[in-house]
Amino acid sequence: MSRESSISEGGGWVQWFCAMEDHQFLCEVDDEFIRDNFNLYGLKSKFNFYNEALDLILSSETPDDEDLEDERFLEVYQEATDLYGLIHARFIITAKGLGMMKDKYLGGKFGACPRVLCERQNVLPVGMSEELRTSRVKVFCPRCEEVYIPKKKCPDVDGAYFGCSFPSIFLMNFIQEIQIPANNQTYVPRVFGFRIHKKKGSRYQDTQQKVTEITHYSEEQLKKLRGKNDQQGKEDYVQK
């Protein structure tokens, strides 16, 4: 569903927002969790219209076409989406939130790993930064332990709506219930059946090559990403 139209009446803003097209990664956060000030600690300073945005999130009504054409409403709406996203990142690491995300994971709602040797292993959403408008949501494969751009790119779903730690917390909690097959297969490039000198699998594989470990974007990497603003259609980050 697009932002230009609303869904059927009832259910409130949260249900309406989570039912929108490309929002299938999101779960519905309980009103009780949102109303608890402890769960919102530190968020107010990040927003200009914090109170209005929070009221909108907790509203039992859904926006109509007239609302979505109002400039003032759209300013509050944008902040409400980001505020909800940051609350969502906190909710999904609670017992109830993890349970809801587990159901989505088992149902394949987050998609499958694009790596052929992972044999369509279910993936989990992950952020490459805890900060808003830095990077869109990515997916993490628990089998190969690599991060990918989702098949559905979710253009307005920020990675901060999930945070950098969610997949690890999820897997730690369900390690006994969710069996992840061992990643014991690797692709070895060859030319007419022969291994390639200094490439993976070669007797003379280059083991001196420096490998950089990444669990989130560093400041240097963020600068490089923001420098790609002129590459329209190729970016996998959220523009400032």
Side-chain angles (χ1 to χ4, degrees):
M1 164 175 182
S2 66
R3 282 188 172 176
E4 283 73 27
S5 58
S6 59
I7 63 174
S8 58
E9 294 182 3
W13 188 92
V14 171
Q15 183 180 2
W16 171 82
F17 181 70
C18 293
M20 294 173 72
E21 186 178 357
D22 296 334
H23 286 189
Q24 71 273 17
F25 284 13
L26 299 170
C27 64
E28 296 181 20
V29 180
D30 293 344
D31 278 6
E32 183 180 352
F33 184 89
I34 299 172
R35 293 181 188 279
D36 188 336
N37 288 331
F38 178 79
N39 299 324
L40 310 181
Y41 180 79
L43 296 181
K44 188 171 185 178
S45 61
K46 297 177 182 290
F47 300 95
N48 296 320
F49 306 111
Y50 175 83
N51 291 327
E52 297 94 324
L54 189 58
D55 287 343
L56 181 58
I57 291 170
L58 293 170
S59 174
S60 60
E61 300 178 354
T62 60
D64 55 28
D65 292 338
E66 186 176 336
D67 289 328
L68 295 172
E69 292 174 359
D70 182 88
E71 193 171 316
R72 165 70 177 181
F73 175 85
L74 290 176
E75 286 183 334
V76 175
Y77 171 81
Q78 181 56 59
E79 292 217 344
T81 63
D82 285 340
L83 176 57
Y84 181 79
L86 295 183
I87 295 171
H88 180 271
R90 299 180 178 190
F91 176 72
I92 59 175
I93 58 174
T94 65
K96 185 168 186 177
L98 284 166
M100 294 169 70
M101 296 297 273
K102 176 187 170 187
D103 290 341
K104 283 180 173 284
Y105 170 81
L106 294 176
K109 299 297 184 182
F110 305 128
C113 181
R115 180 176 178 264
V116 173
L117 297 180
C118 283
E119 301 172 328
R120 298 195 59 77
Q121 168 68 46
N122 284 349
V123 294
L124 291 160
V126 65
M128 294 298 289
S129 174
E130 304 287 353
E131 298 299 321
L132 289 166
R133 289 176 289 282
T134 297
S135 172
R136 295 178 183 136
V137 65
K138 305 295 185 294
V139 290
F140 170 82
C141 174
R143 186 168 181 177
C144 65
E145 298 185 335
E146 292 290 350
V147 174
Y148 302 93
I149 296 173
K151 186 174 181 180
K152 292 195 74 172
K153 292 190 177 180
C154 308
D156 60 346
V157 179
D158 199 302
Y161 296 0
F162 301 89
C164 304
S165 302
F166 169 69
S168 298
I169 295 172
F170 179 92
L171 295 169
M172 287 168 61
N173 275 268
F174 300 119
I175 191 169
Q176 301 297 330
E177 301 174 52
I178 299 176
Q179 300 299 317
I180 308 297
N183 181 30
N184 54 11
Q185 300 182 85
T186 185
Y187 175 79
V188 176
R190 296 172 185 261
V191 174
F192 301 123
F194 295 97
R195 297 172 188 255
I196 304 172
H197 182 62
K198 287 193 175 182
K199 293 295 183 180
K200 183 170 58 175
S202 167
R203 179 180 177 183
Y204 303 102
Q205 180 177 346
D206 184 2
T207 58
Q208 302 301 314
Q209 186 176 3
K210 184 179 179 181
V211 176
T212 303
E213 295 183 356
I214 297 175
T215 53
H216 62 277
Y217 286 142
S218 66
E219 285 300 318
E220 183 178 349
Q221 289 164 332
L222 289 176
K223 289 178 182 177
K224 290 180 181 178
L225 287 172
R226 289 165 186 162
K228 296 179 180 179
N229 283 339
D230 57 339
Q231 297 181 16
Q232 295 296 327
K234 296 182 180 179
E235 70 275 16
D236 71 358
Y237 56 92
V238 178
Q239 293 184 356
K240 284 263 181 192

